[in-house]
Amino acid sequence: LAGTVPEEPRCTVERADASLTSSLFLQRFAFSRPVILGGVTDNSAFRALCTREKLLAAFGPFPVRLSTANTYSYRKVDVPFQEYVEHLLKPQDPARLGSDTLYFFGDNNFTEWGPLFQHYVPPPFRIPGTSPAYSFGIAGGCGMGTCGMALGALPAPTPAPTAGSGSGVPFHWHGPGFSEVIFGRKRWFLYAPDQTPHFHPNETTLAWLQHTYPTLPPAQRPLECTLHPGEVLYFPDRWWHATLNLDTSVFISTFLG
């Protein structure tokens, strides 16, 4: 199944466009429900800096910190960014546990990656009393036996169609934030804070989708949607969410702490 994860055409998350004002965002979404924002930013300049060649030239020798893709006990592993890109390439193995799957998301050294983030245009919405922090991620899954990670993120300049498919972060929650897809497609699953999803904390999102999702009655299914490049998802505080990269992807999140 690796590399053949289908895109679900149905989207049950509300959408909004550039006509959404800050006051309406606060009134309708900030504290109550997620929303997909389209056309609220133009990150074409940032996207141009996130090709394989540009990122390797700028950050190749720097270490990146990889995290295990399980819910409660992230373990960290550092590897050079160039090694991650050039040698550790493989879609998510559906049989791998989250503790045996490494993933590049967050944990970036802002001193080193700061020049790249300066070109990113965040969504124009804020929540009073919070301040934004960026988290840059690259789709990937790594079996610990061979450490065969799917880089996912770095098209060169035409994206590989399936490398990195099936990787993702299992269900978890934290404070509110935005997540924008720069390259690739990312499928999201979301539950309200009072609707704890049924999942094993050491199960990957791909395994959950294959084994648990088909058994859920309609009333117990999550809100879900597949995001494409340029689309931004906002999720409120303490909403459960899990992600699944359908192909190679680069993404950046703005957490409102």
Side-chain angles (χ1 to χ4, degrees):
L1 295 177
T4 60
V5 183
E7 177 174 339
E8 168 59 55
R10 179 184 47 170
C11 179
T12 55
V13 181
E14 189 171 347
R15 291 180 178 272
D17 57 24
S19 65
L20 181 68
T21 64
S22 293
S23 59
L24 279 178
F25 169 77
L26 289 172
Q27 177 185 334
R28 295 177 57 187
F29 303 111
F31 307 103
S32 57
R33 61 186 187 272
V35 61
I36 295 172
L37 306 168
V40 298
T41 60
D42 178 7
N43 274 304
S44 53
F46 180 76
R47 185 175 296 111
L49 296 174
C50 291
T51 63
R52 176 187 179 98
E53 291 87 351
K54 292 289 182 64
L55 286 178
L56 279 176
F59 306 106
F62 295 129
V64 291
R65 177 153 291 180
L66 313 176
S67 301
T68 50
N70 50 346
T71 297
Y72 300 121
S73 58
Y74 296 131
R75 185 171 67 84
K76 310 295 184 182
V77 176
D78 292 339
V79 300
F81 184 66
Q82 185 166 351
E83 178 181 345
Y84 180 71
V85 172
E86 294 182 346
H87 303 295
L88 308 175
L89 197 71
K90 180 179 169 183
Q92 173 70 52
D93 183 344
R96 291 282 182 182
L97 295 176
S99 58
D100 294 331
T101 300
L102 289 172
Y103 190 46
F104 176 34
F105 63 100
D107 288 313
N108 302 296
N109 184 322
F110 197 88
T111 302
E112 295 172 353
W113 293 80
L116 175 65
F117 298 159
Q118 289 175 6
H119 294 272
Y120 177 65
V121 180
F125 305 111
R126 291 292 178 266
I127 298 177
T130 68
S131 58
Y134 293 145
S135 174
F136 183 65
I138 296 175
C142 176
M144 294 297 288
T146 59
C147 202
M149 275 174 306
L151 163 68
L154 308 174
T158 301
T162 58
S165 62
S167 61
V169 180
F171 280 108
H172 63 288
W173 60 264
H174 43 68
F178 301 92
S179 186
E180 178 169 355
V181 174
I182 305 302
F183 284 114
R185 298 169 300 158
K186 181 182 286 286
R187 189 171 171 183
W188 283 76
F189 307 92
L190 303 108
Y191 283 100
D194 60 351
Q195 296 177 292
T196 302
H198 175 70
F199 70 100
H200 190 286
N202 204 22
E203 182 181 48
T204 65
T205 305
L206 181 59
W208 175 87
L209 179 66
Q210 293 172 354
H211 303 143
T212 301
Y213 181 90
T215 70
L216 297 175
Q220 295 181 21
R221 289 196 171 182
L223 294 178
E224 61 179 293
C225 200
T226 297
L227 266 67
H228 295 80
E231 294 183 318
V232 180
L233 174 75
Y234 169 75
F235 50 87
D237 186 29
R238 295 177 180 268
W239 270 67
W240 290 93
H241 53 280
T243 61
L244 187 73
N245 297 292
L246 300 188
D247 39 38
T248 61
S249 65
V250 178
F251 48 92
I252 185 167
S253 298
T254 306
F255 294 113
L256 304 176

